[in-house]
Amino acid sequence: MLSTFTKHCVNRLPVYTSFRSHIPKYTTSFRPTLQNRFRQFASEVKSAADIEAKYADKLKEAAKKRGLTVEELKAKVLEEAKQRRQAANPVKKPTKTAAASKSTSADKVAATVTAKAKQPYDSSAPTLDKIVKLELLEKEDTETIEKIWTQYHADKDCITAIIPSDIYDTLYKRSQEYPMFIVPMPRETGIEFFVMQFRFHQCHFTSLLEYKTKGTEARPFFTITHFPELATSKGIVLMRGEISDEPRMIDTQNAQFLAFTLQQFYATGNETKFNMVEKFHKAPQDFDYQALINEVERVI
């Protein structure tokens, strides 16, 4: 769901294990797609830090000789290297044919990007027109739409909400930049950690125990889908959260807690909460899980 935390961070995080002593095989994938890339990133950062520490004195001495700070010296060396590369590989002026071809290619890429941007879901996610008659819903006011949405799901095993489009805009932008986070959920005998992962307008939740045991094969216990089709015309985004029954691992109250926590850390909470999301991605080795638990306790 995001740049996932490193293996070191996962292994040192305590897991509430009394929830299930046996985890059956699942067939649906949880889709933590960025785990390897994040581990590699953490490794590269550490290597770079080790190298810089090793040669710190030499860098200071070289910078002093040139009358520069260490940071200025680094910038100057990079600029000089860039100039040498450019001198060794001068850019040839493209011919008219090549320029035209390049322009056509760029146009095609731009058209593809635009088309992709208009596709708010992946192929497996539902769209609003598959659930209700969208053209009829468009004719109603916001209050009526909320009643229709709530009543439609009244006899269904799920949770629903209506989110102002400006709040969802913040949530969506942040979720695409930081698509994974971890949530401590209070249980009767302690705390169970849940992993959440965004994919476009959906967010999947699974337990940390399931995630550590199954990895990419971990099955989502709870999935939230946001429907932004009415964001422009009505200023609202419809939300539906569905609990998996294969098997059922959380109840409705748990689902409401996870949905509320998601909104708090990605949109409506204070800066401290969102800063934790950023740190989880940018410095997972320094992430403070106890501070996260304390922050969650303040909002429940």
Side-chain angles (χ1 to χ4, degrees):
M1 262 167 243
L2 64 148
S3 327
T4 75
F5 38 82
T6 64
K7 183 177 181 180
H8 169 71
C9 292
V10 175
N11 289 338
R12 73 187 179 90
L13 180 61
V15 178
Y16 170 67
T17 57
S18 61
F19 181 47
R20 277 289 185 275
S21 59
H22 170 69
I23 300 178
K25 291 184 177 180
Y26 301 124
T27 56
T28 307
S29 171
F30 185 52
R31 300 182 253 178
T33 55
L34 302 180
Q35 184 174 14
N36 292 334
R37 190 169 71 183
F38 197 75
R39 287 176 179 171
Q40 181 182 0
F41 170 76
S43 176
E44 289 172 354
V45 170
K46 184 178 184 303
S47 297
D50 291 343
I51 292 171
E52 184 162 336
K54 183 177 179 181
Y55 295 101
D57 292 339
K58 292 184 178 181
L59 282 171
K60 289 179 182 178
E61 184 179 346
K64 185 177 180 180
K65 287 181 178 179
R66 300 179 68 169
L68 302 170
T69 65
V70 172
E71 293 303 320
E72 289 172 342
L73 176 61
K74 290 179 184 178
K76 190 170 185 63
V77 169
L78 288 174
E79 180 61 28
E80 290 173 351
K82 180 180 177 181
Q83 291 175 358
R84 286 196 297 271
R85 287 196 302 271
Q86 290 175 341
N89 300 284
V91 178
K92 295 181 180 180
K93 187 175 181 180
T95 61
K96 291 184 178 180
T97 302
S101 177
K102 187 175 181 180
S103 177
T104 302
S105 177
D107 291 341
K108 288 181 179 180
V109 171
T112 301
V113 171
T114 301
K116 289 288 185 182
K118 293 179 180 179
Q119 298 175 2
Y121 304 97
D122 66 350
S123 59
S124 64
T127 53
L128 192 56
D129 60 342
K130 298 295 190 298
I131 301 173
V132 298
K133 292 184 177 180
L134 189 54
E135 65 277 9
L136 296 180
L137 209 60
E138 286 274 13
K139 297 178 181 179
E140 305 293 344
D141 58 32
T142 303
E143 185 177 348
T144 302
I145 292 173
E146 182 173 359
K147 290 179 180 178
I148 292 172
W149 187 247
T150 302
Q151 291 173 0
Y152 176 78
H153 293 93
D155 59 347
K156 297 175 176 60
D157 189 17
C158 63
I159 66 171
T160 61
I162 308 295
I163 305 173
S165 58
D166 58 335
I167 291 178
Y168 182 69
D169 184 56
T170 298
L171 188 156
Y172 180 73
K173 288 177 180 177
R174 289 176 171 180
S175 71
Q176 299 311 292
E177 186 173 4
Y178 305 109
M180 180 177 268
F181 196 49
I182 192 161
V183 179
M185 184 165 71
R187 292 291 200 177
E188 291 182 2
T189 57
I191 290 176
E192 181 179 16
F193 282 90
F194 274 73
V195 179
M196 55 186 284
Q197 179 174 354
F198 288 91
R199 184 173 176 80
F200 298 105
H201 296 286
Q202 283 191 309
C203 184
H204 305 280
F205 294 82
T206 193
S207 72
L208 179 60
L209 178 60
E210 167 79 357
Y211 182 75
K212 290 176 70 174
T213 305
K214 298 293 182 178
T216 58
E217 297 302 316
R219 183 187 61 83
F221 296 161
F222 176 54
T223 298
I224 289 177
T225 303
H226 297 99
F227 301 91
E229 287 89 339
L230 300 174
T232 301
S233 60
K234 303 295 180 180
I236 57 174
V237 173
L238 305 183
M239 183 276 276
R240 180 172 71 181
E242 299 173 276
I243 303 170
S244 175
D245 282 323
E246 299 177 4
R248 189 181 180 91
M249 306 294 273
I250 64 172
D251 58 24
T252 302
Q253 186 175 1
N254 298 148
Q256 290 172 337
F257 169 82
L258 292 174
F260 175 72
T261 305
L262 179 159
Q263 187 166 310
Q264 280 284 304
F265 278 84
Y266 276 83
T268 59
N270 55 36
E271 282 301 308
T272 298
K273 293 181 178 62
F274 181 61
N275 288 342
M276 286 186 170
V277 175
E278 289 185 306
K279 188 172 184 179
F280 185 77
H281 285 256
K282 295 179 178 179
Q285 69 280 1
D286 299 324
F287 190 80
D288 189 340
Y289 293 95
Q290 185 56 53
L292 173 62
I293 293 172
N294 296 340
E295 193 65 30
V296 169
E297 287 177 345
R298 292 190 183 97
V299 299
I300 60 175

